[in-house]
Amino acid sequence: MRLDLTAPLTWSDWHTTMSTNEPVPSSFIESLHALREKAFASLEVCQNEADLESHFYAFLGKKGSITLLLKGLKDLDPETRRSAGQQAHQLRQELDSLHQAKRSALKQSALQEHIKQQRFDALRPLNAPRGSLHPVSIIQAEVEDIFSRMGFAIMDGPEVESDANNFERLNFSADHPARDMQDTIWTQDGNLMRTHTSCVQVRSMQVLTPPFRIIAPGRVFRYEETDASHENTFHQVEGMMIGENISVANLIHIMKSFLSTFFERELAVRLRPGYFPFVEPGFELDASCLMCGGSGCQTCKQSGWIELLPCGLVHPNVLQLNGINPQRWNGFAFGLGLDRLVMLRYNIKDIRYFMSGNLRFLKQF
Ligand code: DAH
């Protein structure tokens, strides 16, 4: 857009619109006239902001011609000063508004030009780096898949839990020494960050009707020093199967099936006694070493076995505490360390990578 500076209002028009008949010295009128012509010409050639700026400075600024002219008014005799002043002010106003108009016209055309040159293709694929799944999420999905195929439902529970769900209803009495096994992070309102996913057993027993089988993957928290195999935030998959006449044989069968599917090879398992207040008997389940197959190597410290998960038969108190009749129902439970599985799968030596947010680590998956 261009501003038309061959304005319809000519100098003589402008002059005759003056509302006064008082005589003004022709020399003053002439300098006004000349100034107007000059200002028009100067505005005409302005191409950009910077030009406009110097135009303003030359004519309308503090030391601009118009200002100087107005200062000169005081030298006129009082008779004519009023009328001359009016005319000078009117010129100032005219130049002011022309300057404004030219400024916005220039802005407009710059914008139009910018838009014309801009290309935006909404369908063009973004070149941004793509994210990837966290290794723990990848393995969690695999574990869920394997257990789903064995008829397990997937349950979820909150990370902030009550003392009742995390301890009490799992047969930890208020002064049970086993509470000291867990370094708990408490919230100010007397709740806690769940120290294990076993609290989802509790929630499941309360909402499901036996028989049922569930797993519950999720984040858990402990107030703990960290090292290569300990984190304050880590992941577990709780498992529970409740039915009639469930035995340790069922437990072994399910665990063996899961591990063999997950590691894609036949694994032998064995049970050693272990203690947890919510199972009786409780076990530590070992599997034949993934590295050497049982003959002994560095990974299994020459024993041929690696410790994989704690498990056991659900303590009758736990069933009772959660509304299930222990005379009729029983079952098993287990607690898989999810991070451990990820570390074994990908040969990762330090658990602290998982929560580190380290992109060089994460981008490998
Ligand atoms: N909740 C236990 C822990 O975090 C792990 C565990 C042990 C879970 C035995 C179980 C179980 O279901 O039967 O240390």
Side-chain angles (χ1 to χ4, degrees):
M1 193 207 290
R2 280 185 57 97
L3 184 72
D4 186 9
L5 285 179
T6 52
L9 184 71
T10 65
W11 168 248
S12 48
D13 291 339
W14 176 72
H15 193 228
T16 51
T17 58
M18 295 286 92
S19 57
T20 170
N21 297 318
E22 289 166 53
V24 176
S26 62
S27 66
F28 185 81
I29 292 289
E30 262 159 33
S31 19
L32 267 189
H33 196 165
L35 183 53
R36 185 170 186 271
E37 296 291 305
K38 254 173 87 180
F40 269 47
S42 152
L43 197 60
E44 169 91 63
V45 296
C46 283
Q47 305 271 6
N48 51 40
E49 278 284 315
D51 292 351
L52 267 182
E53 205 58 44
S54 17
H55 167 85
F56 183 88
Y57 188 75
F59 292 94
L60 298 158
K62 258 195 205 148
K63 293 182 181 157
S65 319
I66 275 276
T67 318
L68 294 181
L69 194 81
L70 287 167
K71 275 189 185 154
L73 282 172
K74 65 176 190 312
D75 302 330
L76 294 178
D77 68 83
E79 302 276 284
T80 52
R81 193 183 296 151
R82 202 174 80 94
S83 156
Q86 254 178 18
Q87 299 188 29
H89 273 295
Q90 188 159 351
L91 175 60
R92 191 197 168 98
Q93 271 171 10
E94 186 190 14
L95 292 183
D96 248 340
S97 66
L98 282 176
H99 167 260
Q100 293 276 351
K102 175 92 178 191
R103 181 175 289 262
S104 56
L106 275 180
K107 252 196 189 145
Q108 265 298 323
S109 64
L111 180 64
Q112 292 301 334
E113 193 53 31
H114 179 71
I115 290 173
K116 231 195 285 173
Q117 282 179 6
Q118 228 184 22
R119 279 159 196 280
F120 179 70
D121 178 357
L123 297 179
R124 193 185 63 191
L126 276 181
N127 237 355
R130 296 184 58 188
S132 56
L133 286 177
H134 193 285
V136 171
S137 307
I138 297 174
I139 298 303
Q140 179 179 327
E142 262 186 52
V143 172
E144 289 178 6
D145 188 51
I146 297 171
F147 277 106
S148 298
R149 282 186 272 142
M150 294 194 287
F152 285 72
I154 294 155
M155 297 293 283
D156 204 4
E159 292 174 347
V160 178
E161 259 297 8
S162 60
D163 177 278
N165 286 345
N166 196 83
F167 290 125
E168 239 171 82
R169 297 197 182 102
L170 286 165
N171 203 31
F172 292 81
S173 56
D175 57 351
H176 199 296
R179 279 179 190 248
D180 297 338
M181 288 159 53
Q182 318 246 6
D183 300 300
T184 308
I185 299 168
W186 297 90
T187 62
Q188 281 178 343
D189 59 4
N191 286 312
L192 49 82
M193 302 302 290
R194 65 180 180 189
T195 58
H196 50 191
T197 44
S198 301
C199 39
V200 190
Q201 283 188 24
V202 171
R203 289 177 173 270
S204 302
M205 285 183 271
Q206 291 177 0
V207 297
L208 300 176
T209 318
F212 62 80
R213 18 184 132 170
I214 59 106
I215 58 163
R219 272 206 302 193
V220 300
F221 309 85
R222 304 256 172 109
Y223 187 65
E224 215 167 42
E225 280 304 334
T226 62
D227 62 31
S229 44
H230 294 87
E231 248 296 11
N232 48 40
T233 303
F234 56 105
H235 305 80
Q236 291 184 334
V237 182
E238 191 73 13
M240 174 174 246
M241 179 169 176
I242 300 291
E244 283 164 308
N245 304 316
I246 305 277
S247 71
V248 174
N250 299 122
L251 168 64
I252 292 175
H253 172 73
I254 293 283
M255 292 333 312
K256 224 180 132 169
S257 305
F258 165 71
L259 294 170
S260 303
T261 312
F262 182 80
F263 289 110
E264 298 178 305
R265 74 193 81 160
E266 254 340 282
L267 288 181
V269 301
R270 74 173 186 188
L271 297 179
R272 287 177 292 115
Y275 173 72
F276 299 91
F278 38 93
V279 280
E280 181 58 42
F283 307 108
E284 293 288 349
L285 184 145
D286 299 339
S288 49
C289 177
L290 295 160
M291 295 297 162
C292 63
S295 55
C297 68
Q298 244 186 342
T299 304
C300 59
K301 298 188 188 97
Q302 309 305 329
S303 73
W305 296 94
I306 52 167
E307 190 175 322
L308 266 189
L309 59 105
C311 53
L313 295 187
V314 181
H315 197 295
N317 285 354
V318 172
L319 295 170
Q320 186 86 58
L321 282 165
N322 296 291
I324 293 177
N325 178 2
Q327 310 297 335
R328 174 161 179 210
W329 304 102
N330 76 336
F332 64 75
F334 59 87
L336 258 174
L338 187 53
D339 310 86
R340 182 87 196 292
L341 288 186
V342 184
M343 291 166 84
L344 286 170
R345 168 66 69 78
Y346 295 116
N347 199 15
I348 296 165
K349 300 289 186 210
D350 195 320
I351 192 175
R352 290 170 293 190
Y353 279 119
F354 295 147
M355 299 306 293
S356 70
N358 181 339
L359 287 179
R360 282 176 58 221
F361 168 74
L362 292 172
K363 276 182 176 162
Q364 299 174 77
F365 300 93

